[in-house]
Amino acid sequence: MAAQPVPPPSTDKKRVKVYELRNNDWFDRGTGFCTTAFDISDDGHQRDPRVYVESEDQPDRVLLETRICRQDGFHKQQETLIVWTEPSNGVDMALSFQEPEGCSTIWKFIHNVQQQYHAVGPADDGLSEDPGIDMPNPIALPAASMGNLAEVESQMRGFSGTASGRDALTKYVLSEDYIGRLIPLVADAEDLESLNDLHRLCNIMKIIILLNDTSIIEHAVSDECVIGVVGALEYDPDFPSHKANHRQWLEGEGRYKEVVRIEDPQILRKIHQTYRLQYLKDVVLARILDDNTFSVLNSLIFFNQVDIVQHLQSNATFLAELFNIFKTPQPDPKRKKEAVLFIQQCCAIAKNLQPPARQTLYNNFLAHGLLQVINFGLRHSDVAVRVGATDILVSMIDHDPQMIRSMIYRQLHEKQPPLTDSLIDLLLIEVDLGVKSQISDALKVLLDQGPPIPPEAIAKANGEYPVRALPRIPPSADPQQDNFLNGFYENSATKLFQPLIDLQGRTSMEFSVQQASIFTYLIEILCFFIRQHQHRSKFFVLNNDIVLRISQLLKCPEKFLKLVAVRFIRQLISLQDEFYVKHVLEKKVIGPILDVLVETMPKDNLLSSACLEFFEFVRKENIKELVKHVVENYRDKIESLAYLDLFRTLLIRYDQTGGFNANMDYYIEVDDEPKKRANMINPKTGGLMEHLAMDQQEEEYWNTSDDEDDLQTRPGNRLSSASGESNAKPLVDYASDDEDENLDAGALSADEDKQDDGPRKTNESSRDSAPPPERLSEKRRREEDEEDDLSKMIQHKRRNSTSASSNASTVSGGILRKRKSTSSARDGAGPKKIAISLPPSIKAGNGQTHGRSDDEA
């Protein structure tokens, strides 16, 4: 390889900070200016490259003077940092440059000098006068012996500082089997009790492994080398007074157990190799691993795991023998335990696989009876087995919860106890809090029926108009899921929440740590059920008096139990469900929350904040029933807290509204103006519309519905008019404007009306007069004329709506006069009467009058 020419020393001073590593902390030695130079040796021929840093404050003071040699191992990090280790004292140093250009200039000089050293080889420690001379590439390390360990370590550290040196060193270590030559030296150094040589062997092994070559790492964890490698790594020079026990751990025969014999030797070798790689990554090299080595180790572990899982799931004989352990009539308990732990390891490996491969593994396990294994593990007396079974279940639920639900449906169909019953039993008796948390999450996922249907929009108290929610078709529910939930609430829910139900009649609220922890998980699960299982949870909460039982926890001395109870009631109120609001009012559980707030109010803690947030939510969401209940039943407590704006506002609003009467739609804000807003919201468009000042009489006229008049012509109304009621409305709305048409239709003339006045007065004393019938075509024409008159009146009103109030009054008066004249025509005061048809029942009651009317028609 041709050596790169060494650039001339930089005479331009670069501003830099000098750092020194002391006790794992970087110490600032000062700020100065960095330069590079060649020094002439004593013989006058050899030149030594050096790096100088002169102090910025004291130019005559030298902060740093270091010689660039083969053992230094200079490295450039980021864009402004150069780090190295001083070979004389082993101290880590760093230069932090102000500008990236200055760092690049100094680094270029150092890097080229080191390349010259590595190209020349270990025999020559100088630099040639000619910077472009070609030197051979291969390297040669000293023989592996006790006397050469110091030189071997020094040269390896120098070669590992550059990319080319690392490549050459990797090839040399593999070709010469240098690891195999170093392993016997570990035993020799231990026999001689030479701690310095053992420390050097540890550093050499670290350098070799950190070369990040997969072939070297695979060779280091092989059967013939792994014990010697980890033996050398036991003597870490960073901890000279301590010795690790890596060999004792890896040599233990009890570490590897075969539940079912694996016949393939290649798979066996990969299993052992994967275990050693994980131990090397997580224990031996955990403190010194860099990102590159960590990535190489993870890659080796991942590909080994893929091969292992593929072999296991494709071997039907192996799976059948594995799961038959739980089906034999006289099983070995120890073997069952080991089988559960083996399946747990398989599921842990599957987490790192791609989803299709993981799905295939889980399907094979379920087909061979995995749920039976989980049920066995959850009920086992050994905590390790229970943890293993819980891990298996959680792994599969995280992957696909519907897969586990399908297996539970099958259990219910076959009349077997479902998996949820086993989870409930374990949740109630388990001591480990981590297992309880996992089981709680598993129950919530298995009983999740999807997102709930959102409630209808509720009118707010800020002036918005409620919008009627559009009817939506509920999603089709899974009948299997419905049957599963029905069975759960009928049989399992009571058993799950039995600790809460048992609080009835209990006076002492002192609980053990395990009892207190179970309340936390049960209330968390119950909050989830209330959100998801709306109708089923309502019946369960009401039937078992759950709200009152949980409110008893507000008397516990443990603050976290009080907080859990407040959070549950807050969950009920946040739904703004009328059922839960009335239920909370009925059970009077707001009072205990107020007691807790009064007790904790002088302090600012999580419990008092939760109570304040509860009442702030009630005020903000304008839940009037709760506000009224609180003020009316606990006014003294509210007044004791009136120094807070929240409760003072509640009292003022309650007093202003007179206890929220039925006609009060909204809160009256304390700072609101007494006048009503001029702008209102259009409920159809959602926009603002102008509020026009209307005359009261005109407003009443236009608010009168024409449908009310149309109803008078219906047969039912005619019957009621004929029955003799004194306050009955007229039968006909309007008089005809066309007298000729009325005469043609059979209407009575004024003279005929006078002639028949005597008999009619006698008849009107008992009931209203019945006019003659009317033809359908004449009625339709009259209705069309009435519509034309109404449209003219509306246009007249619109033209005058923007005029002055006097004009508006005049217009409204005219309209009222017209309406009065029309009404008089309806009452029969006009010169003409309109004949209409009557039902047969009325005809039978007044045969003479009807007969005469028909004749006249």
Side-chain angles (χ1 to χ4, degrees):
M1 182 182 82
Q4 297 295 329
V6 178
S10 175
T11 57
D12 187 13
K13 296 181 179 181
K14 310 298 181 183
R15 195 168 187 268
V16 68
K17 272 186 173 292
V18 182
Y19 290 95
E20 176 182 346
L21 187 63
R22 298 180 183 176
N23 299 324
N24 295 326
D25 193 13
W26 288 102
F27 174 73
D28 186 2
R29 293 177 58 173
T31 304
F33 297 95
C34 180
T35 56
T36 56
F38 285 101
D39 283 355
I40 305 299
S41 60
D42 295 335
D43 56 5
H45 297 285
Q46 190 177 9
R47 300 190 304 170
D48 293 332
R50 293 182 179 271
V51 177
Y52 296 95
V53 177
E54 298 176 354
S55 175
E56 183 180 29
D57 300 331
Q58 303 174 4
D60 297 333
R61 180 188 168 203
V62 177
L63 296 177
L64 174 69
E65 180 181 355
T66 182
R67 175 175 174 266
I68 304 174
C69 58
R70 181 182 296 107
Q71 295 85 3
D72 291 347
F74 283 81
H75 299 281
K76 181 183 178 183
Q77 296 181 0
Q78 300 175 0
E79 295 182 356
T80 59
L81 200 63
I82 297 176
V83 297
W84 74 98
T85 302
E86 286 288 345
S88 58
N89 52 16
V91 177
D92 292 333
M93 304 293 297
L95 293 177
S96 178
F97 290 84
Q98 182 179 1
E99 300 293 338
E101 292 79 5
C103 182
S104 300
T105 303
I106 302 298
W107 171 248
K108 184 177 181 181
F109 177 82
I110 296 174
H111 180 63
N112 290 327
V113 168
Q114 285 193 322
Q115 281 190 334
Q116 285 285 349
Y117 277 134
H118 298 153
V120 170
D124 188 3
D125 200 28
L127 290 175
S128 173
E129 294 287 340
D130 186 5
I133 198 168
D134 293 335
M135 301 302 296
N137 178 38
I139 63 172
L141 295 175
S145 63
M146 298 289 292
N148 295 332
L149 290 179
E151 183 65 21
V152 170
E153 179 187 1
S154 177
Q155 292 190 20
M156 279 191 173
R157 195 179 296 277
F159 290 138
S160 63
T162 61
S164 59
R166 294 167 68 90
D167 293 339
L169 183 59
T170 300
K171 294 177 182 179
Y172 182 84
V173 170
L174 289 174
S175 62
E176 299 294 332
D177 191 17
Y178 211 75
I179 295 178
R181 296 182 183 182
L182 293 172
I183 288 175
L185 300 181
V186 177
D188 296 341
E190 288 180 334
D191 294 339
L192 296 174
E193 298 182 356
S194 177
L195 189 59
N196 291 331
D197 291 334
L198 290 172
H199 288 169
R200 292 190 181 97
L201 285 170
C202 179
N203 290 332
I204 291 172
M205 287 297 178
K206 288 180 181 179
I207 293 172
I208 293 175
I209 293 176
L210 293 179
L211 291 173
N212 304 330
D213 185 79
T214 56
S215 300
I216 290 179
I217 294 176
E218 288 179 348
H219 181 60
V221 297
S222 61
D223 294 339
E224 59 273 10
C225 295
V226 63
I227 300 300
V229 171
V230 297
L233 294 173
E234 288 180 353
Y235 299 92
D236 195 338
D238 294 336
F239 303 95
S241 60
H242 294 81
K243 175 184 174 296
N245 297 319
H246 303 319
R247 285 175 290 184
Q248 180 181 353
W249 181 267
L250 292 177
E251 285 177 344
E253 295 295 335
R255 303 298 176 189
Y256 175 72
K257 299 177 182 179
E258 277 188 332
V259 182
V260 178
R261 184 170 180 81
I262 298 176
E263 303 293 341
D264 192 343
Q266 188 72 11
I267 297 299
L268 276 177
R269 186 184 67 81
K270 289 188 176 182
I271 291 175
H272 293 305
Q273 186 186 81
T274 303
Y275 175 73
R276 293 163 184 169
L277 287 170
Q278 288 177 332
Y279 185 79
L280 198 68
K281 175 176 70 74
D282 298 333
V283 179
V284 181
L285 302 176
R287 191 176 57 85
I288 64 171
L289 274 183
D290 56 11
D291 293 340
N292 294 330
T293 308
F294 186 81
S295 177
V296 170
L297 292 175
N298 277 337
S299 299
L300 291 173
I301 293 171
F302 171 76
F303 290 113
N304 283 348
Q305 289 176 342
V306 170
D307 294 338
I308 294 170
V309 171
Q310 292 294 339
H311 172 77
L312 294 180
Q313 70 179 5
S314 62
N315 193 341
T317 305
F318 176 86
L319 292 178
E321 186 177 354
L322 173 64
F323 287 95
N324 283 336
I325 297 175
F326 301 92
K327 301 177 183 178
T328 54
Q330 294 180 352
D332 183 6
K334 183 178 180 181
R335 195 180 183 201
K336 274 192 170 183
K337 173 184 176 181
E338 294 175 352
V340 173
L341 297 180
F342 174 77
I343 297 174
Q344 176 194 7
Q345 289 184 350
C346 292
C347 292
I349 291 173
K351 291 181 181 180
N352 301 323
L353 303 181
Q354 297 297 321
R358 188 163 63 247
Q359 180 71 38
T360 304
L361 177 67
Y362 290 154
N363 288 338
N364 289 333
F365 281 177
L366 288 173
H368 286 82
L370 181 61
L371 283 187
Q372 183 180 356
V373 178
I374 296 176
N375 278 321
F376 167 80
L378 293 178
R379 301 177 186 272
H380 202 275
S381 58
D382 191 348
V383 63
V385 180
R386 295 199 301 269
V387 172
T390 307
D391 286 343
I392 295 172
L393 179 62
V394 171
S395 299
M396 302 186 70
I397 289 176
D398 290 341
H399 173 67
D400 186 7
Q402 188 61 33
M403 180 173 55
I404 302 297
R405 293 194 194 105
S406 301
M407 300 303 298
I408 295 177
Y409 301 156
R410 185 181 304 174
Q411 287 180 326
L412 295 174
H413 181 71
E414 298 174 356
K415 305 300 181 181
Q416 298 178 0
L419 176 63
T420 51
D421 287 352
S422 300
L423 292 175
I424 291 172
D425 294 338
L426 180 58
L427 178 65
L428 297 178
I429 65 173
E430 182 56 54
V431 180
D432 189 275
L433 297 180
V435 177
K436 279 188 176 182
S437 178
Q438 286 185 318
I439 296 174
S440 173
D441 293 338
L443 282 173
K444 288 188 289 186
V445 173
L446 292 177
L447 293 168
D448 186 8
Q449 62 177 2
I453 300 175
E456 295 182 356
I458 302 175
K460 303 297 180 182
N462 55 1
E464 298 177 356
Y465 284 80
V467 181
R468 180 178 298 175
L470 296 177
R472 57 177 295 177
I473 301 175
S476 58
D478 186 1
Q480 290 182 326
Q481 180 76 357
D482 285 342
N483 294 334
F484 172 45
L485 291 176
N486 291 334
F488 176 82
Y489 276 95
E490 290 176 1
N491 305 316
S492 303
T494 305
K495 180 171 61 175
L496 173 61
F497 298 104
Q498 192 63 41
L500 289 174
I501 300 175
D502 291 342
L503 291 176
Q504 184 176 3
R506 179 163 180 166
T507 57
S508 175
M509 290 291 110
E510 299 285 342
F511 302 103
S512 64
V513 177
Q514 302 302 328
Q515 290 175 329
S517 64
I518 193 62
F519 289 135
T520 303
Y521 293 109
L522 290 181
I523 293 177
E524 182 182 354
I525 294 173
L526 186 58
C527 290
F528 175 81
F529 287 172
I530 289 173
R531 293 193 302 268
Q532 296 295 325
H533 313 150
Q534 298 179 359
H535 303 294
R536 296 183 178 92
S537 61
K538 286 180 181 178
F539 178 77
F540 180 78
V541 169
L542 180 64
N543 191 36
N544 295 277
D545 209 2
I546 294 295
V547 174
L548 196 58
R549 300 286 79 81
I550 294 179
S551 66
Q552 292 181 243
L553 297 177
L554 293 171
K555 302 177 183 179
C556 295
E558 292 84 0
K559 290 184 179 180
F560 72 92
L561 284 180
K562 295 180 181 179
L563 187 63
V564 168
V566 173
R567 186 166 66 242
F568 172 76
I569 301 174
R570 168 68 169 79
Q571 175 69 40
L572 295 182
I573 299 302
S574 64
L575 297 175
Q576 297 194 16
D577 191 316
E578 185 178 359
F579 169 81
Y580 286 120
V581 172
K582 290 183 177 180
H583 191 60
V584 168
L585 297 179
E586 179 185 353
K587 299 303 178 181
K588 297 183 179 180
V589 297
I590 308 297
I593 297 180
L594 266 176
D595 294 337
V596 173
L597 180 60
V598 172
E599 179 184 352
T600 61
M601 198 50 229
K603 304 176 183 178
D604 291 333
N605 52 32
L606 187 59
L607 184 57
S608 63
S609 299
C611 296
L612 288 174
E613 195 276 336
F614 176 86
F615 291 102
E616 176 64 24
F617 178 82
V618 172
R619 184 200 65 81
K620 182 179 179 181
E621 295 298 327
N622 190 16
I623 308 177
K624 302 177 186 177
E625 296 84 355
L626 286 176
V627 177
K628 184 177 180 180
H629 171 80
V630 170
V631 177
E632 291 181 352
N633 293 277
Y634 312 104
R635 189 177 185 95
D636 295 340
K637 298 177 183 178
I638 296 295
E639 289 177 349
S640 66
L641 298 171
Y643 61 90
L644 298 173
D645 293 338
L646 168 62
F647 296 99
R648 184 168 62 252
T649 304
L650 289 178
L651 287 173
I652 294 174
R653 290 179 176 178
Y654 177 83
D655 295 337
Q656 286 181 343
T657 57
F660 297 103
N661 295 329
N663 58 350
M664 295 298 298
D665 291 336
Y666 307 110
Y667 276 140
I668 300 178
E669 298 290 339
V670 179
D671 298 332
D672 281 349
E673 297 179 359
K675 295 183 179 181
K676 195 174 181 180
R677 293 185 306 171
N679 293 330
M680 299 182 66
I681 299 176
N682 190 337
K684 294 183 178 180
T685 62
L688 293 176
M689 60 182 182
E690 186 178 3
H691 184 72
L692 299 177
M694 299 288 293
D695 183 75
Q696 183 65 27
Q697 295 178 350
E698 186 176 355
E699 184 71 14
E700 290 177 357
Y701 170 72
W702 290 113
N703 286 337
T704 303
S705 174
D706 294 337
D707 295 337
E708 297 176 1
D709 299 331
D710 294 337
L711 289 175
Q712 307 303 324
T713 62
R714 295 181 182 178
N717 292 333
R718 296 171 189 159
L719 182 60
S720 62
S721 300
S723 63
E725 295 179 0
S726 60
N727 296 328
K729 295 183 179 180
L731 294 177
V732 182
D733 288 341
Y734 300 101
S736 174
D737 294 335
D738 191 350
E739 296 180 358
D740 296 336
E741 291 178 355
N742 289 338
L743 291 175
D744 294 339
L748 295 176
S749 62
D751 297 335
E752 292 173 342
D753 188 28
K754 292 179 181 179
Q755 293 175 4
D756 296 338
D757 185 57
R760 186 173 299 149
K761 289 182 179 178
T762 304
N763 198 16
E764 284 177 353
S765 63
S766 60
R767 68 178 185 272
D768 294 339
S769 61
E774 178 187 17
R775 294 178 185 178
L776 183 61
S777 59
E778 299 298 333
K779 181 179 179 181
R780 289 178 179 175
R781 286 198 298 270
R782 183 172 63 255
E783 290 177 351
E784 293 175 358
D785 295 338
E786 292 171 358
E787 291 177 358
D788 294 339
D789 294 340
L790 183 61
S791 62
K792 293 177 181 180
M793 294 166 64
I794 293 175
Q795 293 176 1
H796 179 69
K797 174 183 176 300
R798 289 178 177 174
R799 286 195 301 268
N800 294 276
S801 60
T802 56
S803 61
S805 59
S806 59
N807 294 335
S809 301
T810 305
V811 173
S812 60
I815 294 174
L816 289 175
R817 287 193 297 272
K818 184 173 182 179
R819 188 180 180 192
K820 289 180 180 179
S821 62
T822 307
S823 300
S824 63
R826 295 178 190 173
D827 295 336
K832 302 295 181 181
K833 288 185 177 289
I834 301 174
I836 62 174
S837 299
L838 295 178
S841 60
I842 299 180
K843 290 182 179 182
N846 192 14
Q848 296 178 355
T849 305
H850 280 271
R852 186 174 55 81
S853 301
D854 293 339
D855 295 338
E856 291 175 357

